Amino acid sequence: MKEMKRTLTLIPVVLFGFSFMALATVFSTYGIAAEISHGMVPGAYVLALVVMLFTAYSYGQMAKAIPSAGSAYAYTQKAINPFVGFLVGWSILMDYLFIPMVNYLLFSIFFSAAFPSIPPYVWVLGLLILVTVINILGVQMATKANILLTGVSLLFIAMFIGLSIQEINGGAGTGSIWNFDAFYNTSEPFSFVVAGAALLCFSFLGFDSATTFAEETINPQKTIPRAVYIIVFMGGLVFIAVSYFAHNVWPDYSTFTNADAAANDIIELVGGKTFASFFLAVYGFTAFGSAMSSQASASRVLFAMGRDGQLPQGFFSKLHKKYDTPVNNILLISGFSLLALVLSLTLVASFINFGAFLAFTCVNLSVIAYYFVKGKQRSIKGAFLYLIIPLIGAVLDIWLLINLDRHSIILGSIWFVCGVIYMLVLTKGFKKAPPEIDLSGQAQL
């Protein structure tokens, strides 16, 4: 079985997850979230964090048992059956393939607005080429880039919080650092918090990308679960903190002139135009980091599926002789991302969440199948850890899946049907099972 070199430790894996999640995304979604939650964005983030922790728990449990670059695809393939595994891999690819494209589009939109004399395609092609080159050079190069990107994002966030505290102490906004109406305003129905959480769960998409580096990680059975928990929990704390101080600086969401640009108004209020310009640079770094991490993750899922024979092996399981990276997959994803030159942001974004929540649901069910059903972990403790917790996670993910917008469900279903058709061809009408992954490092129950 072809394997990649194990060089990653906990911190680099966590940095990949942070880059994929794009910590600064809390600013780009704040205005819309404030309107949907009636100003209770921090409370909505707390609820979203709780929901995502259930699925993070299941990813951690499956990463201990099946440390594979295939992530959700490999987990469901082994725990449930190869047919389900293939369809989950196919579905999650939709998420991974389109996230780089979204970042290229956002990058071009922001910077074309700032520099209108430069055509949008220049920004798309420039970022795409840079991301591709770094990912081909290997995870060590990408790790160095992630350190810089995450550091810049955290620096901006720290500055924003510091400036917000200064502004609030000066009498702006609520005039008080301590204001728990941001979490739950008793004069508003709790349903608004729930509605906000349904939107903001999308901010956590990407924590699962850490699991795709399992075959390049030292001691993945311990490192990957820890990384997943850290990414979700620390990312959630950052989102809660930023939204809390944004609310206290500008508590009345109804006064936003444009909800999409609300964060820009808040940032300019606390730091002036210079700080707002710094935000533009940070957002550029964020788009770059997310595109780089999502491309790297997708290339490794394709590698795992190619190695298993579920995609043509000669192409998808090829590793670069010098850099030991899945070079063909990286180049293929870059070619696919060129569609950013002709597709709209709305259309591309509609593809993303369907595949993610379908995969999340199946990973939760995989814990039940692997540990509770096959592993017979049926004591009181086992029932709690391997049945009740993942079942709650699965129910929550299904709830989010069925509450996606109509375009996401339609486009996601079309992609899923295409996967079923391909699997029919691959298995000659389900007459033979898809090839199964061979994991020599699989943990024993």
Side-chain angles (χ1 to χ4, degrees), residues 4 69 93 96-97 100 132 135-136 294-307 311-320 324-337:
M4 291 177 274
L93 275 178
Y96 286 146
L97 287 172
T132 301
N135 274 328
I136 289 175
S294 55
Q295 185 194 67
S297 297
S299 69
R300 282 148 178 82
V301 174
L302 288 171
F303 168 79
M305 296 180 76
R307 184 183 56 192
L311 294 173
Q313 286 181 323
F315 182 89
F316 289 97
S317 65
K318 182 179 177 60
L319 296 176
H320 194 284
D324 206 37
T325 50
V327 60
N328 287 349
N329 303 339
I330 292 170
L331 293 174
L332 178 65
I333 295 165
S334 295
F336 184 79
S337 295

Side-chain angles (χ1 to χ4, degrees), residues 269-315:
L269 172 65
V270 302
K273 292 187 178 298
T274 300
F275 194 54
S277 298
F278 182 30
F279 172 67
L280 178 65
V282 170
Y283 200 87
F285 276 113
T286 298
F288 166 58
S290 183
M292 181 179 63
S293 296
S294 55
Q295 185 194 67
S297 297
S299 69
R300 282 148 178 82
V301 174
L302 288 171
F303 168 79
M305 296 180 76
R307 184 183 56 192
D308 302 339
Q310 297 198 351
L311 294 173
Q313 286 181 323
F315 182 89

Side-chain angles (χ1 to χ4, degrees), residues 7 68 70 90 113 116 137 144 147 172 181 202 209 235 239 251 262 264 280 282 303 310 355 370 377 398:
T7 58
S68 167
W90 181 268
L137 292 177
K144 293 176 182 177
I147 292 172
D181 284 349
F202 303 155
S209 65
F239 297 153
N264 292 330
L280 178 65
V282 170
F303 168 79
Q310 297 198 351
Y370 190 86
Q377 302 287 314
I398 291 171

Side-chain angles (χ1 to χ4, degrees), residues 130-254:
L130 180 60
V131 165
T132 301
V133 169
I134 288 178
N135 274 328
I136 289 175
L137 292 177
V139 293
Q140 293 302 312
M141 174 65 73
T143 296
K144 293 176 182 177
N146 279 329
I147 292 172
L148 174 63
L149 298 172
T150 303
V152 170
S153 295
L154 291 175
L155 173 63
F156 178 84
I157 288 168
M159 291 176 65
F160 172 78
I161 291 174
L163 290 170
S164 296
I165 292 172
Q166 179 179 310
E167 195 73 16
I168 294 165
N169 285 336
T174 61
S176 173
I177 297 297
W178 309 110
N179 171 32
F180 293 99
D181 284 349
F183 293 98
Y184 179 56
N185 186 344
T186 54
S187 64
E188 298 279 6
F190 186 69
S191 59
F192 289 121
V193 176
V194 176
L199 168 70
L200 295 174
C201 276
F202 303 155
S203 300
F204 292 84
L205 298 185
F207 75 86
D208 56 310
S209 65
T211 61
T212 66
F213 294 92
E215 294 179 41
E216 296 159 271
T217 300
I218 299 168
N219 195 5
Q221 285 90 345
K222 290 185 177 180
T223 301
I224 296 299
R226 289 175 183 172
V228 169
Y229 302 145
I230 291 171
I231 292 164
V232 173
F233 188 70
M234 295 305 296
L237 290 183
V238 168
F239 297 153
I240 292 167
V242 170
S243 60
Y244 175 76
F245 286 103
H247 172 88
N248 284 338
V249 167
W250 199 311
D252 189 355
Y253 66 91
S254 65

